[in-house]
Amino acid sequence: MASDLPTTPPPGAAADWTVPQDWASYTAADHATWDTLFARQVQMLHDRAAPEFLAGVDMLRLSRPGIPDFAELSDRLHRATGWQVVAVPGLVPDAVFFDHLANRRFVAGRFIRRPDQLDYLSEPDVFHDVFGHVPLLADPVFADYMQAYGEGGLRAQGMDALTNLARLYWYTVEFGLVHTPQGLRIYGAGIVSSHGESLFALDDPSPNRLGFDLARLLRTDYRIDAYQQSYFVIDSFAQLLDQTRNTDFAPLYAAAAGAPVLAPETVIPQDRVWHRGNQAYARQNRTTAQPQPAV
Ligand SMILES: [Fe+2]
């Protein structure tokens, strides 16, 4: 999503900004890039990703190898949770993004990174969008959370609170961790689609790992050019859905507007601290940020 885009769709796109995926136009090299990334991440994530994510990865194993055909993928996903995947030409305006989510449609880029970009690209491609996001859309609770987020986005537009709400998306959908009986696990799409951050988010002593607190997240800035300085840990997807669906965000937005923004590395007294990071990575990379996949 993005706030500074034109309000009308580009040529060739429908009124809701969707475009055909044009699966037939992918080359053998495109499919090979997907297969390489897919195999590498599945191997990496088996004991790192949330069980719900791992269960949903099977959703992506379709009748043909390579980049999933959105039509076939949407058929399967719709049968599971009522969600679909639709292609868009790039970033879409906030209102369009929220409207798709509120109607259980996930917007995905259709291009795939070049073979020399396996570890970095500057905008989300089909691997990030589909491998990163779709598996959890097959989970009924997370599927409901994403819809609730979209509905919250439509409401937030009238409250001048999109910056605050985007932080919830960032620290959950993109970079969230969840506590499980086996320990912390990854569920954020920005992590699971990144080889380097899949290691960093769980193992590195640099970042903070803090308990999820909705009001606090709405005040917390984030980095878009490097691995995160703080990750937030939910107890369960049910907790995330319940708080998003049943909280009146208006007072939280008002409180956030009247309080200082918290820097990404900040730990506050009321934080539940799973791990207090030494921020060594962030200090090292303050001027030379490590690339990471866009979200
Ligand atoms: Fe993303």
Side-chain angles (χ1 to χ4, degrees), residues 128-129 133 174 189 295:
H128 168 82
D129 282 338
H133 287 280
E174 295 293 358
V295 296

Side-chain angles (χ1 to χ4, degrees), residues 23-37:
W23 192 87
S25 68
Y26 292 121
T27 66
D30 292 335
H31 289 304
T33 297
W34 171 280
D35 289 338
T36 298
L37 290 165

Side-chain angles (χ1 to χ4, degrees), residues 40-280:
R40 187 172 74 160
Q41 285 309 99
V42 166
Q43 185 184 22
M44 147 84 69
L45 292 170
H46 71 94
D47 59 353
R48 294 178 169 274
E52 294 88 345
F53 177 88
L54 295 172
V57 166
D58 275 344
M59 183 66 62
L60 303 175
R61 299 183 207 273
L62 302 179
S63 58
R64 295 179 286 196
I67 299 166
D69 180 335
F70 289 1
E72 186 180 357
L73 178 59
S74 290
D75 277 350
R76 296 190 66 184
L77 190 56
H78 195 266
R79 280 198 296 276
T81 57
W83 274 79
Q84 294 174 274
V85 179
V86 292
V88 289
L91 294 174
V92 301
D94 294 324
V96 174
F97 180 74
F98 293 137
D99 187 65
H100 279 300
L101 292 186
N103 289 285
R104 292 171 100 86
R105 291 187 298 268
F106 190 77
V107 296
R110 57 182 175 172
F111 80 98
I112 191 154
R113 68 196 75 184
R114 298 191 312 263
D116 63 334
Q117 297 174 310
L118 292 191
D119 294 312
Y120 171 70
L121 75 168
S122 59
E123 60 178 317
D125 72 340
V126 66
F127 185 75
H128 168 82
D129 282 338
V130 173
F131 181 84
H133 287 280
V134 168
L136 277 182
L137 292 174
D139 178 78
V141 179
F142 196 85
D144 284 353
Y145 168 64
M146 288 290 277
Q147 180 182 4
Y149 180 87
E151 291 165 349
L154 294 173
R155 287 192 296 271
Q157 291 184 115
M159 294 189 259
D160 194 24
L162 291 184
T163 300
N164 302 103
L165 186 65
R167 294 170 179 151
L168 173 62
Y169 192 88
W170 188 267
Y171 281 119
T172 61
V173 177
E174 295 293 358
F175 291 100
L177 301 180
V178 58
H179 175 232
T180 77
Q182 287 72 43
L184 299 187
R185 292 290 184 267
I186 303 161
Y187 71 90
I191 311 176
V192 295
S193 62
S194 163
H195 190 74
E197 197 152 2
S198 293
L199 291 167
F200 179 86
L202 288 188
D203 298 350
D204 201 281
S206 188
N208 300 318
R209 299 178 185 91
L210 307 172
F212 173 84
D213 178 312
L214 178 58
R216 184 231 202 271
L217 277 198
L218 299 180
R219 295 175 50 202
T220 307
D221 206 359
Y222 53 81
R223 298 194 64 169
I224 61 168
D225 59 350
Y227 298 154
Q228 299 305 299
Q229 290 182 263
S230 294
Y231 297 93
F232 290 89
V233 181
I234 58 170
D235 295 327
S236 66
F237 294 133
Q239 173 202 30
L240 196 53
L241 172 61
D242 176 63
Q243 292 204 16
T244 303
R245 193 184 255 167
N246 299 321
T247 298
D248 180 2
F249 278 55
L252 302 185
Y253 293 147
V261 173
L262 297 170
E265 71 276 19
T266 305
V267 177
I268 58 176
Q270 52 268 53
D271 278 332
R272 186 160 51 119
V273 179
W274 290 87
H275 169 79
R276 188 171 194 124
N278 62 24
Q279 300 298 338

